[in-house]
Amino acid sequence: MPRELAERPNMVILVAALLLLGVVLGAVVQIPLPLTIALAAAIGCWLLIFAVRERLGAHRRSH
């Protein structure tokens, strides 16, 4: 499979996470602080997992 097609699902996940982060940031004024912090932590974990998966995938492809 060409590299561009193999990377596309990962980019969709990243775009979805960033879009969700934008929606949550736009709603911060409307929702309570503890919920805001919980949602920000969940999205941060999601992005951290994405970064680790990408790093491991790049490491496997290079060897």
Side-chain angles (χ1 to χ4, degrees):
M1 180 179 335
R3 187 174 178 189
E4 297 83 24
L5 291 178
E7 291 177 358
R8 188 161 291 164
N10 291 333
M11 293 307 294
V12 170
I13 292 169
L14 179 60
V15 168
L18 292 174
L19 180 64
L20 182 60
L21 180 62
V23 168
V24 169
L25 287 176
V28 164
V29 180
Q30 310 278 330
I31 60 178
L33 184 60
L35 182 58
T36 300
I37 293 170
L39 288 172
I43 294 169
C45 288
W46 184 3
L47 290 173
L48 183 62
I49 291 167
F50 175 81
V52 168
R53 285 182 54 205
E54 284 295 304
R55 180 85 168 186
L56 291 175
H59 182 69
R60 275 190 237 127
R61 284 191 297 263
S62 68
H63 285 103

